[in-house]
Amino acid sequence: MKVAGLPVPHESARGHVTGEALYTDDLTGRFPQVLHAWPVLAPYAHALVTSLDATPALGEPEVVATLGGSDVPGEGNSGANRHDEPLFPSEVMYHQQPVAWVLGESLEAAQRGAARVLMTYQPLPAILSIEQAIAEQAFHSGPFHLRRGDAGAAVAESALRIEGEIHIGGQEHFYLETQCALAWLDEAGGVSVHSSTQHPSETQDVVARVLGIPRSQVTVECLRMGGAFGGKEVQANPWAAVAALGTWKTRRPVCVRLPRVLDMALTGKRHPFLARFEAGFHEDGRLQGLTVSLYSDAGWSLDLSEPVMWRAMFHLDNAYYLPAVDVEGYVCRTHKTSQTAFRGFGGPQGMLVVEDILDRAARRLSLPPEVVRQRNFYRESQTTHYGQRVKDAWRIQTIWHELQETSCFAERREAAARFNAEHPHCKRGIAITPVKFGISFTATFFNQAGALVLIYRDGSVQVNHGGTEMGQGLHTKIRQIAADSLGLPMERVRIMPTRTDKVPNTSASAASASTDLNGVAVADACAQLKARLAPVAGAMLGCPPEAVRHCGGMVFSEGDQVQQLPFSQVVEAAYRQRLPLFAQGYYRTPGIHFDQKTGQGQPFHYYAYGAAVTEVEVDGFTGVHRIVRVDILQDVGDSLSPVIDRGQVEGGFMQGLGWLTLEELLWDEQGRVATAGASTYKLPSWSELPEVFEVAFLERATEAGVILGSKAVGEPPLMLAISAREAIRDAIGAFGSAGVQVELDSPLTPERIFWAIERQRFVKSLGWIFEHSPWVAERAWRAEPFESVDALHAAMKRQVERATREEQLALLRAHPDLGARAGMSEASSGEQAGAGLDRLAPAEFARLQRLNAEYREKFGFPFLFAVKGSAKHDILKALEQRVGGTQDEEFRVALDQVYRIARFRLESIFECSTSQAATNGITTAKATLSSTG
Ligand code: MTE
Ligand code: HPA
Ligand code: MOS
């Protein structure tokens, strides 16, 4: 009769769909005389407030009060960490920042009042991009560092080196319930707040600070949230503070609720990132060295941007052993909303970087990406770049192999290749990617939790704990844990709304750790209560206290299960014996620590593992894609609540898919969020659901040292969606030729996919122009569109001129010897035949070979000559002459010859348009040139 582990529905599932489940705003009707608040919004991203006159607002009917800096009895700042978020700023730091508030009998009255507030500003220049912040050295913090070995040297020694950068877009939380707080004066003159907050204790702290009263005078309650996803970890605080301040001033209840568009314009999002990297690989695909600079766009205030950056740096390895690595992290200050926690908390951005690098390397090495990934996996007993041993690293391999089996990965990869061979304009891609995600708050002190469990004389139970319910099923799991601990059916246990007067000094419900932390605290309290009841029950049952067992609402002796007492009867007896029937529980995660200065420690209690296979189909005309199938294998330990866990895996994956493929945040040149509504911000919905969506949990996966052997599940599945990004990349690659990397920023909107395909087609059709060196075309593509063959040639030449001496040398060496009989590209052999080099007399051939060898010996590259239009005698004469040149001269001359060869080749494509010999690729190149020229 165990309750934990049963597939029970979410405790509010019914209420969610019937509308009976209440949210903060639903409670306003219960407060007579409630006032509604509306902000005065600054129309600049950066400006000084030069004057503010709120009195005209008071002339508006039904406006009751205005709020400004002079109304604040305490500290007019809601910034959680650095106190850098003035509630009534004199310097505007982002577009639409509230500078004052108006309270009205209705929302409309407050809005009319706000429109009448007279403001003047002095606009200032704004920083609106990461690049601009770097240029102006505008950083909130950093650089932070994590290092192992000499990464620079390791990269320099590598057989394959890759450098590049990737832009990673942010994400709007789009919780269904927008930010909301409702404050009133309590019966004793303190302030109470209903708040949609993940962190009631911090909301309490901020309210107390703004009002200048002790925290004991402030009670914050969170019944539930209609989603939070990190967006209410600290960003619920300012709205609660404004509501409380309004209450303090007017002595009436005040509600602050942001309508959707305002919520999207004012609240922080997932941090956009820029990563610049250099990576070195062995020829077999093993990573040798990695240096990365991470820049996050933190927006106007610090918020949680430091721990977000740390988590990104911790997760740069994902599931891979990085033998030598040097990562630095900068938190950039821009004049945008203050970016904040979002499911994964920087982890997804860090992991995306290494996944991107691994795939680029795989394509350059012409190895399957899954092989390169697997070769880099952590092995048992290896440590991360911050010195933590990767416990249960074997699970990565096990999950990888099991999932490949169950998803029929190999067969489907072959099927996709067959499909692609038959479909020139539509390609399938498939990819498998792993997830390793560290569980614990990286700030060690947050890893604690408390609980207060009350048993009433009738045997019914109330459970209070520090966690909040945001739809993730925490209360369901806690209810299962409490019911199991006390041996009661679930219906006997009621989970109370989260309140700061029940459990004080709680941590945010975040970092996926809420069940791990609060679950043990609750179990601790229940264990104490059971221990207290044991002697009572023992006496009633005639057995020693140690033999007392609880199950299904009954109490009995281990040795005699026939005689059973109802739980309520034991409880009543205990009451009459004057025993306390309530207990507090407490838990702190053991053994974790981290030192930011040395970059070493054990920040995580354990890792959550998983992997996903995604298959997609991409349309070459539009860049639109379709998710064909998703297979997931997730390690949730012993699942506490399989229905809840499945929901978290499916929901997390879909939210990750939205981030990586659909949701694009845009800011206009004024710094306004241009995508502040569902009409311009595209979210995943039914139509994006995979046609086949298989979710399974790793079996025999008990996690020792975690509540009932379970594992955290809230955030890790989001990063499984990286498999969709990689599958799309695979499909894009199929439009081009092997050996060419596919560079992609995030998100993969149809536009980005389309242009990436265009680039692949371009390289496929023109990569051969420079002998065996598609990189020239790859780089030249950035200068598109080209007006003429001349312009195209010039762009390619420019890329060679810009390349390193090493790359130039490699380009020269990629060419065959003149008169060589093997190993030539089709183009070269055609050209050489045209000049008669395939028909040399034996003596001529011998002479050519001798001179070639002499030339190569002397200069280190083959003799190069643009043979088109030359006779073999001229060529031999030139060779004899140039063998006598100097190194520098010949290097130059050889490059010029390379340009001439390229020029002839380009002309051969574009100026003999009717040639029957034109291949498919060449036709595409022509189309590219004419459609864009
Ligand atoms: N699931 C739902 N339905 N709604 C949410 O807001 N938040 C996610 C995740 N799953 C969220 C969710 C985030 S960001 C975190 S950190 C965890 O839930 C927090 O809850 P947990 O600690 O109980 O897993
Ligand atoms: N994860 C999520 N939320 C947090 C963390 C973390 O590591 N640290 C502080 N808030
Ligand atoms: Mo979740 S981003 O840790 O609230």
Side-chain angles (χ1 to χ4, degrees):
M1 283 265 289
K2 278 260 167 217
V3 185
L6 289 186
V8 300
H10 191 285
E11 42 82 33
S12 293
R14 229 190 123 77
H16 290 158
V17 293
T18 57
E20 283 165 324
L22 298 175
Y23 298 89
T24 299
D25 189 45
D26 296 325
L27 305 173
T28 45
R30 304 180 176 199
F31 290 83
Q33 295 214 301
V34 65
L35 295 173
H36 299 266
W38 191 258
V40 178
L41 304 170
Y44 300 99
H46 190 200
L48 293 177
V49 175
T50 43
S51 74
L52 186 166
D53 178 8
T55 43
L58 295 170
E60 194 63 31
E62 299 204 322
V63 166
V64 175
T66 61
L67 296 178
S70 59
D71 296 311
V72 178
E75 182 190 339
N77 199 302
S78 65
N81 297 313
R82 207 176 257 179
H83 295 218
D84 58 351
E85 299 183 17
L87 281 170
F88 303 99
S90 53
E91 182 178 352
V92 173
M93 296 295 277
Y94 70 99
H95 204 283
Q96 303 225 16
Q97 180 170 17
V99 288
W101 289 78
V102 178
L103 306 178
E105 300 286 352
S106 65
L107 194 60
E108 295 67 32
Q111 286 170 331
R112 279 186 274 106
R116 290 190 53 182
V117 172
L118 299 173
M119 305 285 311
T120 58
Y121 301 92
Q122 181 193 330
L124 297 170
I127 300 173
L128 295 174
S129 70
I130 292 179
E131 282 87 347
Q132 204 185 340
I134 296 171
E136 300 188 21
Q137 296 282 296
F139 303 122
H140 287 292
S141 308
F144 304 129
H145 290 279
L146 288 178
R147 292 197 183 96
R148 168 157 64 194
D150 186 344
V155 172
E157 283 162 10
S158 298
L160 171 69
R161 263 164 290 157
I162 295 180
E163 61 175 316
E165 61 176 41
I166 170 172
H167 288 86
I168 302 172
Q171 187 177 19
E172 162 63 35
H173 298 85
F174 221 101
Y175 24 64
L176 290 182
E177 180 209 21
T178 51
Q179 301 280 357
C180 187
L182 172 60
W184 70 98
L185 291 184
D186 69 26
E187 299 74 5
V191 170
S192 284
V193 189
H194 280 300
S195 169
S196 183
T197 175
Q198 285 172 257
H199 200 345
S201 287
E202 192 178 78
T203 303
Q204 174 197 29
D205 169 27
V206 169
V207 166
R209 193 207 298 166
V210 169
L211 298 183
I213 56 179
R215 291 188 204 185
S216 57
Q217 295 299 101
V218 179
T219 309
V220 174
E221 169 171 340
C222 177
L223 177 56
R224 63 164 63 76
M225 286 163 277
F229 307 110
K232 298 169 183 173
E233 185 172 335
V234 300
Q235 298 222 354
N237 299 338
W239 326 114
V242 169
L245 188 63
T247 288
W248 202 249
K249 180 170 180 181
T250 62
R251 322 307 282 172
R252 288 173 62 176
V254 173
C255 175
V256 175
R257 187 181 73 82
L258 303 184
R260 179 65 62 190
V261 172
L262 211 48
D263 193 300
M264 291 180 82
L266 301 189
T267 67
K269 298 149 202 333
R270 184 188 294 287
H271 291 71
F273 266 63
L274 167 65
R276 293 184 169 146
F277 58 82
E278 251 192 291
F281 287 84
H282 298 279
E283 262 153 20
D284 63 4
R286 272 177 308 128
L287 190 79
Q288 198 169 344
L290 178 61
T291 65
V292 179
S293 301
L294 293 177
Y295 303 91
S296 67
D297 180 345
W300 72 283
S301 73
L302 185 63
D303 197 279
L304 290 165
S305 299
E306 286 185 0
V308 166
M309 178 54 80
W310 278 110
R311 193 170 273 274
M313 291 165 58
F314 288 135
H315 286 79
L316 191 70
D317 60 348
N318 190 12
Y320 312 110
Y321 176 67
L322 312 176
V325 57
D326 189 338
V327 49
E328 53 174 7
Y330 292 86
V331 178
C332 297
R333 185 168 57 75
T334 59
H335 294 97
K336 293 185 183 167
T337 55
S338 182
Q339 318 317 358
T340 190
F342 196 138
R343 206 171 194 170
F345 205 78
Q349 293 94 322
M351 286 158 61
L352 202 66
V353 174
V354 74
E355 293 298 347
D356 204 78
I357 292 171
L358 288 183
D359 191 285
R360 290 197 202 192
R363 285 178 202 283
R364 291 276 292 276
L365 294 165
S366 295
L367 289 169
E370 62 274 12
V371 169
V372 170
R373 290 194 161 94
Q374 192 183 330
R375 285 188 182 154
N376 285 289
F377 280 159
Y378 276 111
R379 315 276 143 165
E380 213 56 42
S381 88
Q382 283 180 328
T383 57
T384 62
H385 51 302
Y386 45 89
Q388 173 157 1
R389 193 176 71 81
V390 183
K391 186 162 87 76
D392 293 337
W394 61 268
R395 288 193 187 190
I396 304 171
Q397 301 270 359
T398 305
I399 290 172
W400 195 251
H401 294 301
E402 268 182 35
L403 183 63
Q404 290 202 359
E405 287 277 297
T406 56
S407 65
C408 307
F409 186 82
E411 295 89 316
R412 285 168 57 205
R413 181 173 260 319
E414 278 171 28
R418 280 196 303 278
F419 178 94
N420 291 344
E422 288 160 14
H423 295 81
H425 305 300
C426 179
K427 303 288 181 191
R428 289 205 169 175
I430 185 166
I432 176 168
T433 58
V435 168
K436 163 183 135 292
F437 191 77
I439 302 300
S440 288
F441 287 95
T442 57
T444 303
F445 65 90
F446 278 128
N447 296 286
Q448 55 175 317
L452 175 64
V453 177
L454 318 176
I455 303 177
Y456 293 91
R457 283 169 63 185
D458 63 354
S460 65
V461 175
Q462 282 189 352
V463 173
N464 300 276
H465 64 89
T468 54
E469 175 62 39
M470 56 195 98
Q472 88 277 37
L474 173 64
H475 284 356
T476 309
K477 288 183 171 182
I478 295 284
R479 198 175 180 206
Q480 289 175 280
I481 291 167
D484 247 16
S485 306
L486 296 173
L488 293 174
M490 260 193 348
E491 302 68 52
R492 298 283 282 281
V493 178
R494 177 173 176 203
I495 307 290
M496 302 305 290
T498 316
R499 283 179 66 123
T500 54
D501 57 354
K502 295 291 174 52
V503 182
N505 311 319
T506 53
S507 297
S509 293
S512 306
S514 308
T515 306
D516 292 12
L517 299 174
N518 296 287
V520 185
V522 168
D524 174 34
C526 293
Q528 295 172 41
L529 290 165
K530 262 198 332 198
R532 246 174 253 166
L533 293 174
V536 180
M540 294 166 84
L541 291 161
C543 71
E546 310 83 69
V548 172
R549 296 289 175 270
H550 294 245
C551 190
M554 304 304 282
V555 184
F556 48 87
S557 153
E558 192 183 25
D560 166 21
Q561 304 199 0
V562 179
Q563 190 198 357
Q564 300 208 343
L565 300 172
F567 182 69
S568 54
Q569 204 176 318
V570 178
V571 164
E572 177 64 19
Y575 167 75
R576 288 180 180 268
Q577 291 173 37
R578 297 188 295 171
L579 289 172
L581 291 173
F582 57 98
Q584 62 179 56
Y586 183 77
Y587 176 71
R588 58 170 166 255
T589 314
I592 48 175
H593 54 91
F594 178 72
D595 180 356
Q596 292 195 356
K597 281 190 211 72
T598 59
Q600 292 290 305
Q602 168 131 350
F604 303 116
H605 190 35
Y606 62 91
Y607 295 101
Y609 299 110
V613 171
T614 299
E615 183 173 358
V616 300
E617 192 173 298
V618 171
D619 180 287
F621 294 113
T622 59
V624 168
H625 77 273
R626 172 172 80 83
I627 307 277
V628 178
R629 175 169 164 181
V630 174
D631 294 75
I632 290 172
L633 184 56
Q634 181 69 25
D635 171 15
V636 297
D638 293 335
S639 179
L640 273 177
S641 203
V643 173
I644 297 293
D645 286 351
R646 177 173 296 264
Q648 287 294 296
V649 172
E650 291 175 355
F653 180 90
M654 288 309 292
Q655 194 163 40
L657 190 69
W659 172 50
L660 292 171
T661 65
L662 295 169
E663 301 176 41
E664 187 169 37
L665 285 167
L666 297 171
W667 278 267
D668 68 13
E669 54 293 350
Q670 269 85 52
R672 193 178 357 218
V673 179
T675 46
S679 58
T680 47
Y681 187 75
K682 180 140 177 52
L683 293 152
S685 63
W686 278 114
S687 49
E688 278 72 34
L689 271 175
E691 289 158 34
V692 181
F693 200 173
E694 302 287 347
V695 175
F697 300 138
L698 184 67
E699 289 177 0
R700 293 176 299 282
T702 310
E703 185 70 25
V706 185
I707 179 80
L708 297 174
S710 68
K711 262 176 127 155
V713 70
E715 294 165 287
L718 182 127
M719 289 146 277
L720 295 169
I722 295 175
S723 62
R725 175 179 155 87
E726 294 307 315
I728 292 171
R729 194 204 302 270
D730 192 46
I732 294 170
F735 283 95
S737 26
V740 178
Q741 66 186 31
V742 182
E743 286 177 37
L744 295 171
D745 284 334
S746 182
L748 290 179
T749 54
E751 296 92 304
R752 275 214 183 86
I753 294 174
F754 176 78
W755 288 111
I757 292 170
E758 280 291 278
R759 184 172 187 178
Q760 291 298 308
R761 288 172 173 145
F762 180 84
V763 176
K764 186 172 184 178
S765 55
L766 296 176
W768 62 279
I769 296 288
F770 285 80
E771 192 85 4
H772 295 302
S773 305
W775 59 265
V776 183
E778 219 178 324
R779 293 182 198 175
W781 187 81
R782 292 197 187 117
E784 255 218 333
F786 304 106
E787 307 267 313
S788 61
V789 172
D790 278 339
L792 174 56
H793 183 257
M796 291 178 129
K797 180 173 164 185
R798 202 157 45 239
Q799 290 306 326
V800 178
E801 289 295 313
R802 259 193 214 154
T804 62
R805 176 94 181 183
E806 242 177 320
E807 286 171 320
Q808 292 172 336
L809 193 60
L811 170 59
L812 298 183
R813 285 182 181 151
H815 287 76
D817 278 334
L818 285 185
R821 298 273 145 101
M824 274 195 276
S825 67
E826 212 178 299
S828 280
S829 65
E831 286 155 3
Q832 295 205 16
L837 291 175
D838 59 337
R839 281 165 276 120
L840 292 174
E844 283 171 331
F845 182 64
R847 188 162 141 237
L848 183 62
Q849 276 206 313
R850 185 172 44 73
L851 282 168
N852 270 337
E854 192 184 328
Y855 186 96
R856 209 182 248 284
E857 171 75 15
K858 184 166 170 196
F859 299 112
F861 47 85
F863 171 69
L864 291 175
F865 194 88
V867 295
K868 181 134 191 264
S870 306
K872 57 186 179 182
H873 314 287
D874 309 329
I875 298 169
L876 275 165
K877 214 155 89 200
L879 177 49
E880 244 159 18
Q881 238 172 37
R882 280 175 44 197
V883 137
T886 69
Q887 179 77 33
D888 280 352
E889 271 167 20
E890 271 312 297
F891 196 80
R892 232 9 289 166
V893 173
L895 278 180
D896 284 337
Q897 292 297 324
V898 165
Y899 300 142
R900 289 190 56 197
I901 297 170
R903 174 82 212 189
F904 287 135
R905 290 179 179 177
L906 281 176
E907 282 170 0
S908 78
I909 309 174
F910 291 107
E911 275 151 33
C912 333
S913 53
T914 52
S915 162
Q916 289 295 306
T919 67
N920 235 345
I922 293 171
T923 319
T924 310
K926 206 183 290 293
T928 305
L929 194 67
S930 57
S931 70
T932 50

